[in-house]
Amino acid sequence: MKILAIETSCDETSVAILENEKILSNIISTQINIHKKYGGVVPEIASRLHFENFGFVLQQALTKANVNIKDIDKIAYTKSPGLIGCLHIGKMIAKTLACYLEVELIPCNHLHGHIYSVAISNNIIFPTIALVVSGGHSQIYYLKKDLDFKIIGETLDDAVGEAFDKVSRMLGLGYPGGSAIQKQAKIGKPKIGFPIALNDESFNFSFSGLKVSVLNYINNNKNKNYFNISDICASFQETAVKNLMLKLKKAYKKFYPASIILAGGVSANELLRNEINNFCKKNKIKCLLPEQKYCTDNAAMIAILAYKKLSNCK
Ligand code: KG4
Ligand code: ZN
């Protein structure tokens, strides 16, 4: 069975083709260079670029997979969550293709797609806990079995990726912030004590206080001779990761899962990956991390999720 998947929820236009559980192609056209100028994603520009770029992304995906569009059996697409205009472009194209090819349309949840990005190269062992961290969301899920998504905690304000992006902007490091902060953090020392918010019994997060603390630190210290951007990045990154680990460990202690999944754009973060890996090793459970190429938005994760949905219905 061949699935063609479409992902257009934010600033990446992506098409993937999957045959059974194998990804034949996963083409991603990123709009980062355009949005960079504005310091973040401009929704209207993002929708127009999806429309403009979709044709060649589709063509490249088919060519790389060596598949004729007439041989596609199902069309999957990201239904939500995401930027509404961007989602509409993806949905319209998906519906048109499904109608033309007379095949089934499979709407998919973007965050569930991130979770299943780890299934491209691993078997998920259930029950599992998934920490989903992206530019728009920070959530902890409990999955007792395949596709049984239960949100047990989420951010009450900013997403952690959003905090990386905003701190990066404050420091003049550009968009997207995650990789820029990680790079600076490598040459800095985590010596500034930023606060961990919402250190309570829930599995929820709050990152706006951390963001404001960094802003206050910058405003109060920018003219001092010890002011060091790398140290700020290292300290911010360490606090954000500590905060995520604190709630993940709490969730582990309540549910004792057989594995832990890390997913979403922030899963590209090396410190977070190492912390989760070490935690899983210590507790002798399986650690499921997406390959770097499947961390940020891509259609391969939508394709594998659609495949699991279809297999689950049999
Ligand atoms: O999942 P994603 O591609 O898009 C959304 O669904 O939001 O996630 C993008 C987010 C951005 O906020 C970006 O700064 C963050 O992932 N990110 C990182 C890293 N690489 C990307 N955050 C921390 N460390 C990284 N290495
Ligand atoms: Zn995403």
Side-chain angles (χ1 to χ4, degrees):
M1 188 208 343
K2 291 191 183 70
I3 301 176
L4 185 147
I6 298 169
E7 157 63 42
T8 61
S9 67
C10 190
D11 58 346
E12 263 92 32
T13 312
S14 181
V15 174
I17 296 171
L18 172 136
E19 183 165 25
N20 299 325
E21 280 183 272
K22 191 167 184 277
I23 302 291
L24 301 181
S25 64
N26 178 45
I27 305 296
I28 305 168
S29 165
T30 179
Q31 308 172 358
I32 283 174
N33 280 336
I34 310 282
H35 297 292
K36 234 181 196 163
K37 292 182 240 168
Y38 307 97
V41 179
V42 183
E44 178 61 27
I45 296 178
S47 321
R48 286 170 191 241
L49 288 173
H50 285 307
F51 191 68
E52 222 172 280
N53 296 336
F54 193 84
F56 80 80
V57 174
L58 172 64
Q59 200 51 57
Q60 275 188 27
L62 290 165
T63 306
K64 172 120 195 267
N66 199 17
V67 166
N68 187 307
I69 194 148
K70 298 231 161 100
D71 295 329
I72 294 295
D73 302 299
K74 312 273 174 189
I75 303 283
Y77 73 99
T78 300
K79 179 171 176 257
S80 64
L83 300 170
I84 194 72
C86 297
L87 292 168
H88 278 163
I89 301 284
K91 180 177 176 177
M92 257 161 40
I93 295 171
K95 273 195 155 179
T96 308
L97 283 175
C99 181
Y100 165 70
L101 297 169
E102 296 182 4
V103 298
E104 187 186 354
L105 189 63
I106 307 162
C108 292
N109 178 292
H110 179 78
L111 300 161
H112 299 175
H114 272 303
I115 293 175
Y116 272 80
S117 66
V118 300
I120 296 171
S121 39
N122 294 283
N123 282 327
I124 300 180
I125 304 179
F126 296 96
T128 187
I129 278 178
L131 175 66
V132 182
V133 277
S134 72
H137 295 82
S138 305
Q139 299 176 322
I140 303 182
Y141 285 80
Y142 175 69
L143 287 87
K144 202 167 179 185
K145 56 183 183 353
D146 239 334
L147 304 172
D148 183 20
F149 304 98
K150 215 170 255 128
I151 296 175
I152 56 167
E154 59 191 330
T155 184
L156 304 181
D157 40 56
D158 291 6
V160 65
E162 187 183 351
F164 269 90
D165 293 336
K166 285 182 176 162
V167 167
S168 175
R169 197 172 166 174
M170 290 171 201
L171 294 169
L173 298 174
Y175 173 83
S179 48
I181 289 198
Q182 172 169 290
K183 202 168 152 206
Q184 283 293 323
K186 276 191 184 148
I187 48 170
K189 291 202 170 58
K191 52 188 185 192
I192 309 159
F194 292 126
I196 298 223
L198 218 67
N199 189 356
D200 61 4
E201 285 315 302
S202 78
F203 307 123
N204 293 327
F205 302 105
S206 164
F207 289 103
S208 74
L210 173 58
K211 177 190 68 184
V212 173
S213 300
V214 176
L215 181 64
N216 288 340
Y217 180 88
I218 295 171
N219 289 337
N220 294 333
N221 298 282
K222 62 182 166 218
N223 296 322
K224 306 273 169 50
N225 57 4
Y226 55 76
F227 187 79
N228 182 307
I229 287 184
S230 308
D231 288 348
I232 299 175
C233 288
S235 308
F236 162 75
Q237 179 180 259
E238 192 182 81
T239 312
V241 168
K242 258 193 191 154
N243 206 333
L244 292 168
M245 290 308 297
L246 181 84
K247 293 303 172 96
L248 187 64
K249 286 176 185 172
K250 277 204 170 121
Y252 171 78
K253 279 198 181 134
K254 168 139 192 218
F255 294 96
Y256 286 105
S259 67
I260 289 181
I261 294 174
L262 171 66
V266 183
S267 68
N269 188 274
E270 287 168 27
L271 180 64
L272 181 58
R273 291 172 83 93
N274 287 340
E275 288 288 325
I276 294 189
N277 215 352
N278 291 340
F279 181 75
C280 288
K281 261 192 200 146
K282 201 173 129 202
N283 291 286
K284 298 188 176 62
I285 56 169
K286 189 157 182 188
C287 180
L288 296 161
L289 306 175
E291 287 177 52
Q292 281 287 344
K293 63 183 171 192
Y294 299 128
C295 288
T296 47
D297 292 348
N298 66 86
M301 67 188 198
I302 302 302
I304 192 92
L305 172 63
Y307 178 82
K308 295 284 176 187
K309 283 180 162 210
L310 289 165
S311 321
N312 228 42
C313 291
K314 277 179 198 161

